[in-house]
Amino acid sequence: MTSTTVTGWKLVTAAAAAALALAGCTNSGDEDASDRPAGDDEQVVKESESGGPGCTLEKYGAKKLDLKNAVVGFSQSEPDTAAFRAAETASIREAAEQAGVKKLIVTNANAELPKQIADVQDMLNQGVQMLIVAPVNSDGLDPALDAAKQKGVPVLTIDRKVTNQPCSDYVAFLGSDFYDQGQRAADALADATGGEGTVAILLGSSGNNVTDERNAGFKDRVAEEYPDLDIAEEQTANFARDEGQSVTEQLLQSNPDITAIYAHNDEMALGAVTAVAAAGKDAGEDIKIVSIDGTRNAVQAIVDGDINAVIESNPRFGPLAFETMTKFYAGEEIPEDVIIEDDEYNSDNAEQDLGKAF
């Protein structure tokens, strides 16, 4: 995945920091939000050369808009019971408040593409003037994007990239370099295993670039650098904890030689921890586990010794989303892909950095 950004987009304003801190207090599905310390892990854009022409207000054919007088819509893809989605939604809400928008309308597609299309169309009928969309899938959002285009409403996509045309169907994509995340996960698993082992991969949901690139990055790095890591099993667990548990149970029964698990997200990894324990083995020791996200529960599992490492995927898109659209409406050129930097949690820093988790 090419990192295409512009320089100087580091978020350093007090308002952004406040919004990010508030966004860290979100419900993971396991705890009350009031019991969770605020995270302070700001999104920072990678500074690199742009990989292609950017998008401007003129090129897109949109009208200028003062966000303080705007009605903005946010289409969330999946239930906020998942920590990543809860943090993402909270960040958008807080950033909208900081930006002073007239009204923010939030919908949740509950992982159903037809519902997301209907949600977007409904928000357009309610008069939204700008849309932020976390796509359910990379493909299939065409009816919603077409409807927005017909009404002259710019769309910013976050965390999953769509296969539609940038600066025509949508302004830009904000998110992580998922291929790089997969490569870093391979490095972390090699470090945990000493570069040897039988690996099972818990795949995210199909039909989106996150799953495809996290898997390709991992497998390519293993093939290039770690010949003694044998990828023996791959099975979809749809980014869900319960499926992560059930799939891991099945894999351990069919292949008791598994000594390492790479999960495409923390929820599946936490399910795997439960399955490993049920199989009478020690997660983090007998079976090494590496995942991607940076949820508080997964980072705590590193502290507890059950997970070996977590590659961060920062969900706090609110400040960056509103900063990007403010630049867009001011006539600045926005790169096709605005790629953020992601940290890593391991046994060396998990305890001290627990407050940054979401």
mmCIF file of all heavy atoms in Angstrom, residues 318-341:
data_model
loop_
_atom_site.group_PDB
_atom_site.id
_atom_site.type_symbol
_atom_site.label_atom_id
_atom_site.label_comp_id
_atom_site.label_asym_id
_atom_site.label_seq_id
_atom_site.Cartn_x
_atom_site.Cartn_y
_atom_site.Cartn_z
ATOM 1 N N GLY A 318 -11.308 11.227 14.431
ATOM 2 C CA GLY A 318 -12.074 12.456 14.463
ATOM 3 C C GLY A 318 -11.295 13.719 14.131
ATOM 4 O O GLY A 318 -11.630 14.425 13.161
ATOM 5 N N PRO A 319 -10.270 14.053 14.914
ATOM 6 C CA PRO A 319 -9.528 15.284 14.629
ATOM 7 C C PRO A 319 -8.938 15.330 13.224
ATOM 8 O O PRO A 319 -9.007 16.361 12.555
ATOM 9 C CB PRO A 319 -8.430 15.278 15.699
ATOM 10 C CG PRO A 319 -9.033 14.513 16.828
ATOM 11 C CD PRO A 319 -9.838 13.433 16.173
ATOM 12 N N LEU A 320 -8.363 14.206 12.766
ATOM 13 C CA LEU A 320 -7.760 14.185 11.432
ATOM 14 C C LEU A 320 -8.827 14.338 10.346
ATOM 15 O O LEU A 320 -8.613 15.016 9.343
ATOM 16 C CB LEU A 320 -6.975 12.893 11.230
ATOM 17 C CG LEU A 320 -6.272 12.735 9.875
ATOM 18 C CD1 LEU A 320 -5.292 13.883 9.619
ATOM 19 C CD2 LEU A 320 -5.546 11.388 9.799
ATOM 20 N N ALA A 321 -9.982 13.725 10.546
ATOM 21 C CA ALA A 321 -11.053 13.820 9.555
ATOM 22 C C ALA A 321 -11.517 15.265 9.391
ATOM 23 O O ALA A 321 -11.656 15.770 8.271
ATOM 24 C CB ALA A 321 -12.235 12.934 9.954
ATOM 25 N N PHE A 322 -11.745 15.945 10.502
ATOM 26 C CA PHE A 322 -12.228 17.324 10.411
ATOM 27 C C PHE A 322 -11.122 18.276 9.975
ATOM 28 O O PHE A 322 -11.390 19.260 9.272
ATOM 29 C CB PHE A 322 -12.859 17.742 11.740
ATOM 30 C CG PHE A 322 -14.248 17.189 11.912
ATOM 31 C CD1 PHE A 322 -14.460 15.997 12.585
ATOM 32 C CD2 PHE A 322 -15.332 17.849 11.361
ATOM 33 C CE1 PHE A 322 -15.730 15.473 12.726
ATOM 34 C CE2 PHE A 322 -16.615 17.333 11.494
ATOM 35 C CZ PHE A 322 -16.815 16.140 12.175
ATOM 36 N N GLU A 323 -9.883 17.980 10.350
ATOM 37 C CA GLU A 323 -8.774 18.796 9.857
ATOM 38 C C GLU A 323 -8.642 18.639 8.343
ATOM 39 O O GLU A 323 -8.426 19.633 7.614
ATOM 40 C CB GLU A 323 -7.467 18.391 10.534
ATOM 41 C CG GLU A 323 -6.264 19.202 10.064
ATOM 42 C CD GLU A 323 -4.947 18.703 10.627
ATOM 43 O OE1 GLU A 323 -4.930 17.637 11.271
ATOM 44 O OE2 GLU A 323 -3.925 19.373 10.401
ATOM 45 N N THR A 324 -8.763 17.404 7.860
ATOM 46 C CA THR A 324 -8.646 17.142 6.424
ATOM 47 C C THR A 324 -9.729 17.881 5.640
ATOM 48 O O THR A 324 -9.453 18.520 4.614
ATOM 49 C CB THR A 324 -8.755 15.627 6.154
ATOM 50 O OG1 THR A 324 -7.695 14.949 6.825
ATOM 51 C CG2 THR A 324 -8.661 15.329 4.659
ATOM 52 N N MET A 325 -10.964 17.817 6.123
ATOM 53 C CA MET A 325 -12.047 18.465 5.393
ATOM 54 C C MET A 325 -11.980 19.992 5.504
ATOM 55 O O MET A 325 -12.407 20.702 4.594
ATOM 56 C CB MET A 325 -13.395 17.935 5.875
ATOM 57 C CG MET A 325 -13.612 16.457 5.528
ATOM 58 S SD MET A 325 -13.303 16.060 3.770
ATOM 59 C CE MET A 325 -14.685 16.882 2.976
ATOM 60 N N THR A 326 -11.446 20.496 6.599
ATOM 61 C CA THR A 326 -11.239 21.945 6.714
ATOM 62 C C THR A 326 -10.238 22.412 5.659
ATOM 63 O O THR A 326 -10.444 23.427 4.988
ATOM 64 C CB THR A 326 -10.736 22.308 8.118
ATOM 65 O OG1 THR A 326 -11.736 21.958 9.087
ATOM 66 C CG2 THR A 326 -10.451 23.805 8.229
ATOM 67 N N LYS A 327 -9.173 21.639 5.480
ATOM 68 C CA LYS A 327 -8.190 21.947 4.443
ATOM 69 C C LYS A 327 -8.823 21.856 3.048
ATOM 70 O O LYS A 327 -8.574 22.687 2.170
ATOM 71 C CB LYS A 327 -6.998 20.989 4.546
ATOM 72 C CG LYS A 327 -6.105 21.181 5.764
ATOM 73 C CD LYS A 327 -5.056 20.090 5.816
ATOM 74 C CE LYS A 327 -4.140 20.244 7.025
ATOM 75 N NZ LYS A 327 -3.181 21.352 6.861
ATOM 76 N N PHE A 328 -9.631 20.829 2.853
ATOM 77 C CA PHE A 328 -10.293 20.618 1.567
ATOM 78 C C PHE A 328 -11.180 21.813 1.216
ATOM 79 O O PHE A 328 -11.117 22.352 0.096
ATOM 80 C CB PHE A 328 -11.118 19.325 1.629
ATOM 81 C CG PHE A 328 -11.969 19.051 0.427
ATOM 82 C CD1 PHE A 328 -11.407 18.645 -0.773
ATOM 83 C CD2 PHE A 328 -13.356 19.194 0.502
ATOM 84 C CE1 PHE A 328 -12.196 18.384 -1.891
ATOM 85 C CE2 PHE A 328 -14.148 18.925 -0.605
ATOM 86 C CZ PHE A 328 -13.575 18.525 -1.798
ATOM 87 N N TYR A 329 -11.988 22.240 2.171
ATOM 88 C CA TYR A 329 -12.889 23.354 1.909
ATOM 89 C C TYR A 329 -12.153 24.688 1.781
ATOM 90 O O TYR A 329 -12.692 25.642 1.219
ATOM 91 C CB TYR A 329 -13.955 23.440 2.997
ATOM 92 C CG TYR A 329 -15.031 22.389 2.857
ATOM 93 C CD1 TYR A 329 -15.248 21.434 3.855
ATOM 94 C CD2 TYR A 329 -15.839 22.336 1.725
ATOM 95 C CE1 TYR A 329 -16.236 20.471 3.725
ATOM 96 C CE2 TYR A 329 -16.824 21.365 1.585
ATOM 97 C CZ TYR A 329 -17.013 20.442 2.584
ATOM 98 O OH TYR A 329 -17.983 19.480 2.444
ATOM 99 N N ALA A 330 -10.914 24.729 2.279
ATOM 100 C CA ALA A 330 -10.103 25.936 2.131
ATOM 101 C C ALA A 330 -9.378 25.965 0.789
ATOM 102 O O ALA A 330 -8.647 26.910 0.494
ATOM 103 C CB ALA A 330 -9.094 26.026 3.276
ATOM 104 N N GLY A 331 -9.562 24.895 -0.013
ATOM 105 C CA GLY A 331 -8.954 24.851 -1.339
ATOM 106 C C GLY A 331 -7.634 24.119 -1.414
ATOM 107 O O GLY A 331 -7.004 24.060 -2.469
ATOM 108 N N GLU A 332 -7.186 23.521 -0.291
ATOM 109 C CA GLU A 332 -5.917 22.792 -0.300
ATOM 110 C C GLU A 332 -6.072 21.435 -0.977
ATOM 111 O O GLU A 332 -7.164 20.848 -1.015
ATOM 112 C CB GLU A 332 -5.401 22.604 1.131
ATOM 113 C CG GLU A 332 -5.010 23.894 1.817
ATOM 114 C CD GLU A 332 -4.311 23.653 3.136
ATOM 115 O OE1 GLU A 332 -3.586 22.632 3.250
ATOM 116 O OE2 GLU A 332 -4.477 24.479 4.049
ATOM 117 N N GLU A 333 -4.974 20.926 -1.484
ATOM 118 C CA GLU A 333 -4.970 19.623 -2.157
ATOM 119 C C GLU A 333 -4.855 18.514 -1.130
ATOM 120 O O GLU A 333 -3.960 18.522 -0.285
ATOM 121 C CB GLU A 333 -3.800 19.558 -3.146
ATOM 122 C CG GLU A 333 -3.821 18.320 -4.029
ATOM 123 C CD GLU A 333 -2.744 18.367 -5.097
ATOM 124 O OE1 GLU A 333 -1.573 18.174 -4.742
ATOM 125 O OE2 GLU A 333 -3.072 18.625 -6.268
ATOM 126 N N ILE A 334 -5.746 17.553 -1.215
ATOM 127 C CA ILE A 334 -5.777 16.428 -0.274
ATOM 128 C C ILE A 334 -5.294 15.168 -0.983
ATOM 129 O O ILE A 334 -5.817 14.809 -2.040
ATOM 130 C CB ILE A 334 -7.207 16.188 0.262
ATOM 131 C CG1 ILE A 334 -7.810 17.485 0.825
ATOM 132 C CG2 ILE A 334 -7.193 15.078 1.314
ATOM 133 C CD1 ILE A 334 -7.024 18.091 1.957
ATOM 134 N N PRO A 335 -4.283 14.478 -0.428
ATOM 135 C CA PRO A 335 -3.798 13.242 -1.065
ATOM 136 C C PRO A 335 -4.892 12.178 -1.142
ATOM 137 O O PRO A 335 -5.820 12.164 -0.332
ATOM 138 C CB PRO A 335 -2.668 12.786 -0.144
ATOM 139 C CG PRO A 335 -2.290 13.994 0.637
ATOM 140 C CD PRO A 335 -3.544 14.792 0.798
ATOM 141 N N GLU A 336 -4.757 11.290 -2.103
ATOM 142 C CA GLU A 336 -5.707 10.178 -2.238
ATOM 143 C C GLU A 336 -5.738 9.333 -0.975
ATOM 144 O O GLU A 336 -6.796 8.914 -0.514
ATOM 145 C CB GLU A 336 -5.322 9.316 -3.440
ATOM 146 C CG GLU A 336 -6.147 8.063 -3.607
ATOM 147 C CD GLU A 336 -5.677 7.211 -4.765
ATOM 148 O OE1 GLU A 336 -5.003 7.742 -5.679
ATOM 149 O OE2 GLU A 336 -5.974 5.993 -4.766
ATOM 150 N N ASP A 337 -4.560 9.053 -0.404
ATOM 151 C CA ASP A 337 -4.433 8.257 0.819
ATOM 152 C C ASP A 337 -3.703 9.086 1.867
ATOM 153 O O ASP A 337 -2.561 9.504 1.640
ATOM 154 C CB ASP A 337 -3.648 6.972 0.580
ATOM 155 C CG ASP A 337 -4.299 6.056 -0.440
ATOM 156 O OD1 ASP A 337 -5.534 5.983 -0.464
ATOM 157 O OD2 ASP A 337 -3.556 5.429 -1.210
ATOM 158 N N VAL A 338 -4.320 9.309 2.987
ATOM 159 C CA VAL A 338 -3.670 9.973 4.111
ATOM 160 C C VAL A 338 -3.376 8.879 5.133
ATOM 161 O O VAL A 338 -4.280 8.365 5.805
ATOM 162 C CB VAL A 338 -4.560 11.071 4.718
ATOM 163 C CG1 VAL A 338 -3.860 11.729 5.902
ATOM 164 C CG2 VAL A 338 -4.905 12.118 3.654
ATOM 165 N N ILE A 339 -2.114 8.482 5.202
ATOM 166 C CA ILE A 339 -1.723 7.304 5.978
ATOM 167 C C ILE A 339 -1.147 7.724 7.328
ATOM 168 O O ILE A 339 -0.278 8.599 7.406
ATOM 169 C CB ILE A 339 -0.687 6.464 5.211
ATOM 170 C CG1 ILE A 339 -1.239 6.110 3.822
ATOM 171 C CG2 ILE A 339 -0.334 5.196 5.993
ATOM 172 C CD1 ILE A 339 -2.528 5.340 3.827
ATOM 173 N N ILE A 340 -1.619 7.081 8.384
ATOM 174 C CA ILE A 340 -1.169 7.412 9.731
ATOM 175 C C ILE A 340 -0.090 6.446 10.205
ATOM 176 O O ILE A 340 0.046 5.329 9.703
ATOM 177 C CB ILE A 340 -2.346 7.401 10.724
ATOM 178 C CG1 ILE A 340 -2.984 6.010 10.823
ATOM 179 C CG2 ILE A 340 -3.380 8.443 10.327
ATOM 180 C CD1 ILE A 340 -4.051 5.882 11.889
ATOM 181 N N GLU A 341 0.673 6.911 11.184
ATOM 182 C CA GLU A 341 1.678 6.071 11.826
ATOM 183 C C GLU A 341 1.011 5.258 12.935
ATOM 184 O O GLU A 341 0.121 5.748 13.615
ATOM 185 C CB GLU A 341 2.796 6.930 12.423
ATOM 186 C CG GLU A 341 3.607 7.693 11.392
ATOM 187 C CD GLU A 341 4.697 8.534 12.026
ATOM 188 O OE1 GLU A 341 4.751 8.601 13.275
ATOM 189 O OE2 GLU A 341 5.483 9.132 11.268
#
